[in-house]
Amino acid sequence: MNIEITLPDGSKRSFPKGSSAMDVAMDISEGLARNVLAAKVNGEVRDANRPIEKDADLSLLTWNDDEGKSTMWHSSAHLMAEALQEFYPHVKFGIGPSIETGFYYDVDLGEDVLTDKDFQKIENRMLELAREKNEYIRKEVSKDEAIAHFKEKGDEYKLELLDELKDGNITFYTQGNFTDLCRGPHIPDTGKIKALKLMSLAGAYWRGDENNKQLTRIYGVSFPKAKDLKEYLHLLEEAQKRDHRKLGKEMGLFTFSPSVGMGLPMWLPKGAMLRERLENFLKEAQKEAGYLSVITPHIGAKQLYVTSGHYAKYGKDSFQPIHTPHEDEEYLLKPMNCPHHCEIFKSEPRSYKDLPIRYAEFGTVYRYEQSGELHGLTRVRGFTQDDAHIFCQPDQVKEEFKKVINLVLYIFQTLSFDDFVTQVSLRDPNNNEKYIGSEENWEKAEKAIMESVEEAGLDYVVEEGEAAFYGPKLDFMVRDAIGRKWQLGTIQVDYSLPERFELEYTGADNAKHRPVMIHRAPFGSMERFVAVLIEHCAGKFPLWLNPEQVKILPVSERYNNYAKEVSKKLKIYDIRALVDERNEKVGRKIRDAEVEKMPYMLIVGEEEEKNNTVSARKQGEGDQGSMTIEAFAELIKNEINSELKRN
RNA sequence: GCCGAUGUAGCUCAGGGGUAGAGCGCAUCCUUGGUAAGGAUGAGGUCACGGGUUCAAUUCCCGUCAUUGGCUCCA
């Protein structure tokens, strides 16, 4: 009996019943068959050598498909497990999935400690095993059989996993001398793995719960060609060059000091210049959008946060309260600006005619993040939010929300941030006690966000369980140089705080009504935003943002005075210029300016001094010819205007 | 907080039980130059900090602090 296989291009072929995807591949070409890692049968990813029993849509998956890659990586995890079991016969296995790049396996090594010095021998053994071209053999087993297997092996983690599986649905995979509980699928044989590298070690709690035992997680990555590994490692190296911690230090933007305290960044003059410009840019946009600036203190009475609910939720994990000398008073470093802004709202009676009221503040907040979580400028203990709170009537929520979306998009566009993900963060449906506020309000808030996002035409993903404890939110996520995801902009709808603070306004009906709050921060925090910005542009900021715009390079010391004159003139045009007065050749001065990514260089010598001109050079592009100072200033202005999309 | 790694000159890093090394940067001098590295000389270090082993520790061991890759958490 034959079955009909439909390939992705729509073509149909007939095969004997029970043929595998591999047979189909062989039929098409041997070369293709060699590259097949797995198959998608009617949308389900399966082993390429598993028989197909009825008519099906089939795609053959290779290294060029994401599912092909992840299958290979998952199989590589099994291969690593096999090697580990040889070196550490008593090892117990947790889980070993593929991840975005590569794979890991969580293992319990008992008394043994693995260090990265052990990587080489494990890698070598894995490659040996790979060369044996051992097939990954799938076997359906009964639950009893499976339990017996792991009882004998003494692997309590697999037993725990088995506990949750239904009988009749359990499969083992075996390659070489290693058998694992696994749903699959796997690549046909270990020979497809030609290159691999173990990347790092980490402690990982069993099932991600810090009350459980910590296992050793070994990360690795594998490839079908040695060249691919080389390319990947090169890419990693390149990414590390963009790391904001490295560039921030080189460019003199910020610093940390153990004497000040971990996670407490200090902005150096150049970093402060950059940040100020970003702040002013946003302030201007906000002024136009009807925001009002407010300023609030860095500390607040403990009761303020008891009222807001932050204390109950985070009090014990925060910087502890400050005690005053005489009275029994307690103050907290502010972890949030919203309670202060609520009090400003309450400072006088409000009418519906006043709404929406939009209070904006670059508010510095302090949060006691866990020491192991601190990371450059992206995760710190003191940072400044570009915060604002919009108090509006319930029927204004959607419109206000959409306005904020537009503001965020405007800012991202201006800075050419185009590779972000918009994420709608909702409640965890199984964990209601994590949140405050009524069911009804949560539903209203979630509905408002979903509708705004739909109407704004945003491409978005929904993440359950990622909401703030007082409300759902829309987050703008970006990746840093090493691929980690960070939240930048955030917009949150909140019905709870207005209730807790008993905020109200008088409506047209002369009755008291409760406003709705929208929390929002387009950058998120200045620290994190600048970090991501540095990595995004590899330290080559747009001209309007760069701390220095022009360096004037006298051809010899004789022209230092003319250079200073030029610098003075440029300052009149509000252009930030420096003079390189060093006793160096002009070639050297150019090289140094290029390396430090100075956007423009002006070379001045006899010719320029005589004609009252400058010879301009653009970073990364080279000589732009000579021109008058006025013409150069015009050039700079035009470039800045086009960056900021204004005329 | 937990698991692993790291900490040597301003920066990047080598070294190793017995006077501490390189490149870059910095300073001084020579050179006065035309679009990506001119030359000479010199200054810089309690080898993160605290204990221990040793005749002797920067090196080996333990602890602390900081940094770092993850895990957990994230208003």
Side-chain angles (χ1 to χ4, degrees):
Chain A
M1 201 169 75
N2 275 0
I3 53 171
E4 194 175 58
I5 298 295
T6 310
L7 294 167
D9 64 358
S11 67
K12 295 181 194 300
R13 287 167 189 241
S14 185
F15 288 90
K17 186 177 169 199
S19 295
S20 69
M22 198 49 93
D23 297 327
V24 176
M26 281 297 270
D27 191 53
I28 296 170
S29 92
E30 212 173 305
L32 175 62
R34 260 202 304 278
N35 288 325
V36 167
L37 298 173
K40 202 189 262 184
V41 181
N42 292 328
E44 184 201 354
V45 183
R46 313 205 318 176
D47 303 330
N49 50 23
R50 222 170 128 188
I52 302 170
E53 301 297 342
K54 51 182 189 230
D55 293 356
D57 291 327
L58 175 73
S59 358
L60 299 165
L61 302 173
T62 68
W63 182 251
N64 295 324
D65 303 289
D66 284 345
E67 292 109 327
K69 279 195 180 80
S70 58
T71 304
M72 167 114 142
W73 283 331
H74 182 198
S75 299
S76 303
H78 280 230
L79 185 66
M80 180 168 76
E82 185 181 1
L84 281 169
Q85 199 169 52
E86 287 184 10
F87 291 114
Y88 310 93
H90 57 283
V91 62
K92 295 171 192 171
F93 293 98
I95 55 166
S98 67
I99 51 175
E100 231 167 283
T101 7
F103 57 90
Y104 67 79
Y105 219 121
D106 284 349
V107 298
D108 183 348
L109 291 161
E111 298 296 302
D112 285 329
V113 177
L114 200 67
T115 76
D116 50 15
K117 291 177 188 65
D118 301 311
F119 282 179
Q120 189 69 54
K121 69 173 186 199
I122 298 168
E123 287 168 6
N124 289 347
R125 183 60 189 146
M126 284 173 73
L127 286 170
E128 278 170 30
L129 289 167
R131 279 194 291 269
E132 288 176 12
K133 297 196 166 107
N134 293 317
E135 280 179 49
Y136 286 85
I137 298 158
R138 181 175 188 273
K139 186 184 172 198
E140 291 179 14
V141 293
S142 72
K143 190 160 175 172
D144 289 343
E145 231 178 301
I147 291 173
H149 176 89
F150 286 109
K151 270 218 174 111
E152 197 201 320
K153 222 180 146 192
D155 204 327
E156 67 254 32
Y157 304 105
K158 293 294 178 187
L159 287 169
E160 198 179 319
L161 292 173
L162 267 170
D163 204 36
E164 287 157 31
L165 296 178
K166 276 209 288 278
D167 202 359
N169 213 1
I170 297 172
T171 49
F172 278 5
Y173 275 84
T174 303
Q175 95 276 1
N177 291 314
F178 179 75
T179 298
D180 203 358
L181 171 70
C182 183
R183 189 176 42 210
H186 280 284
I187 57 178
D189 66 80
T190 59
K192 306 280 179 220
I193 303 167
K194 299 278 199 237
L196 55 88
K197 187 168 171 59
L198 302 191
M199 302 301 290
S200 65
L201 275 174
Y205 300 103
W206 170 236
R207 318 213 101 179
D209 183 339
E210 62 182 321
N211 299 313
N212 285 342
K213 175 154 190 193
Q214 192 161 49
L215 307 179
T216 304
R217 177 170 296 179
I218 309 161
Y219 286 92
V221 65
S222 61
F223 297 92
K225 286 187 208 143
K227 201 178 104 207
D228 295 332
L229 172 62
K230 225 174 128 187
E231 269 169 24
Y232 173 69
L233 293 177
H234 179 70
L235 219 70
L236 272 188
E237 239 171 72
E238 288 300 305
Q240 272 158 14
K241 286 187 194 154
R242 303 169 81 101
D243 193 311
H244 77 277
R245 291 167 300 184
K246 184 179 154 66
L247 287 172
K249 191 178 210 171
E250 279 172 15
M251 301 175 76
L253 300 176
F254 59 88
T255 190
F256 289 90
S257 160
S259 309
V260 171
M262 64 197 316
L264 299 170
M266 288 170 286
W267 294 76
L268 301 173
K270 282 184 184 175
M273 268 194 263
L274 176 73
R275 170 171 157 176
E276 250 166 28
R277 257 158 241 285
L278 274 173
E279 288 182 356
N280 290 338
F281 164 65
L282 179 58
K283 270 184 191 163
E284 216 165 285
Q286 287 183 162
K287 203 155 61 181
E288 236 164 82
Y291 287 78
L292 305 167
S293 283
V294 294
I295 297 171
T296 65
H298 286 235
I299 63 172
K302 178 179 150 189
Q303 183 56 42
L304 185 66
Y305 305 100
V306 173
T307 304
S308 71
H310 290 107
Y311 191 78
K313 181 99 177 141
Y314 297 105
K316 57 185 183 313
D317 301 319
S318 296
F319 283 111
Q320 289 306 291
I322 301 160
H323 296 267
T324 57
H326 300 301
E327 315 258 344
D328 188 21
E329 291 176 315
E330 292 181 314
Y331 289 86
L332 285 178
L333 277 169
K334 79 173 162 187
M336 288 289 284
N337 302 300
C338 31
H340 290 80
H341 291 185
C342 285
E343 289 299 321
I344 292 177
F345 182 86
K346 271 174 91 165
S347 65
E348 53 180 295
R350 306 291 177 179
S351 152
Y352 73 98
K353 292 179 187 167
D354 302 329
L355 302 185
I357 291 175
R358 309 178 188 91
Y359 291 139
E361 172 174 18
F362 285 88
T364 304
V365 297
Y366 301 90
R367 299 178 183 173
Y368 191 80
E369 305 288 358
Q370 292 190 68
S371 58
E373 187 56 35
L374 299 174
H375 179 90
L377 278 188
T378 49
R379 174 72 95 245
V380 286
R381 285 180 170 169
F383 57 95
T384 301
Q385 296 179 310
D386 55 328
D387 211 358
H389 296 93
I390 300 168
F391 301 86
C392 64
Q393 302 181 54
D395 63 0
Q396 293 172 324
V397 170
K398 214 200 291 178
E399 195 191 330
E400 285 302 308
F401 200 95
K402 281 197 280 185
K403 278 191 201 165
V404 178
I405 290 178
N406 286 334
L407 181 67
V408 175
L409 292 180
Y410 163 69
I411 282 155
F412 278 29
Q413 270 158 22
T414 304
L415 290 158
S416 350
F417 266 75
D418 32 27
D419 46 357
F420 57 89
V421 173
T422 47
Q423 170 180 316
V424 176
S425 301
L426 305 178
R427 270 173 307 178
D428 179 350
N430 306 315
N431 202 352
N432 254 330
E433 63 276 17
K434 263 170 71 176
Y435 308 100
I436 61 170
S438 71
E439 182 66 27
E440 187 201 345
N441 283 343
W442 270 88
E443 263 165 37
K444 271 198 276 186
E446 292 185 348
K447 183 160 171 276
I449 290 189
M450 295 304 281
E451 286 178 7
S452 307
V453 169
E454 282 292 339
E455 286 171 32
L458 286 182
D459 234 358
Y460 63 94
V461 294
V462 174
E463 290 288 341
E464 286 184 342
E466 292 293 311
F469 76 97
Y470 50 74
K473 51 183 186 158
L474 176 67
D475 292 327
F476 294 80
M477 317 287 293
V478 300
R479 281 177 191 279
D480 66 12
I482 33 187
R484 266 185 291 224
K485 259 198 260 179
W486 297 101
Q487 176 202 309
L488 290 184
T490 180
I491 319 174
Q492 315 176 352
V493 180
D494 180 7
Y495 290 82
S496 298
L497 283 190
E499 253 172 59
R500 292 182 155 253
F501 280 92
E502 299 177 321
L503 305 183
E504 50 187 29
Y505 64 89
T506 306
D509 56 1
N510 199 30
K512 298 293 184 195
H513 297 271
R514 184 128 294 160
V516 183
M517 261 174 98
I518 296 173
H519 309 238
R520 45 108 279 178
F523 292 141
S525 87
M526 300 313 295
E527 286 73 7
R528 182 177 293 176
F529 191 84
V530 167
V532 175
L533 182 65
I534 291 168
E535 304 197 351
H536 183 81
C537 63
K540 213 174 145 182
F541 299 110
L543 190 57
W544 67 278
L545 267 182
N546 210 58
E548 305 295 348
Q549 295 169 320
V550 181
K551 198 172 234 180
I552 305 163
L553 316 178
V555 163
S556 88
E557 288 175 312
R558 259 204 287 281
Y559 310 104
N560 279 359
N561 280 336
Y562 177 63
K564 282 188 241 180
E565 239 175 77
V566 172
S567 152
K568 239 181 247 168
K569 277 196 187 156
L570 289 175
K571 283 201 177 88
I572 296 170
Y573 292 100
D574 202 23
I575 292 167
R576 304 183 284 282
L578 294 170
V579 180
D580 187 344
E581 294 184 69
R582 292 177 307 165
N583 176 8
E584 290 293 348
K585 289 196 181 182
V586 71
R588 178 52 180 270
K589 292 181 183 180
I590 288 168
R591 180 184 149 79
D592 288 346
E594 287 280 348
V595 168
E596 67 172 324
K597 303 182 186 76
M598 185 62 62
Y600 280 95
M601 288 146 259
L602 296 180
I603 289 113
V604 295
E606 188 180 359
E607 187 76 4
E608 287 76 14
E609 180 163 26
K610 199 169 68 194
N611 303 322
N612 222 14
T613 57
V614 294
S615 169
R617 182 186 165 101
K618 191 168 184 178
Q619 200 270 339
E621 290 183 24
D623 199 352
Q624 309 285 302
S626 81
M627 59 190 82
T628 63
I629 296 165
E630 290 70 26
F632 177 72
E634 189 67 18
L635 189 112
I636 296 283
K637 285 285 147 203
N638 287 341
E639 184 169 334
I640 288 174
N641 283 338
S642 93
E643 280 174 354
L644 292 173
K645 293 172 185 73
R646 62 183 190 208
N647 301 307

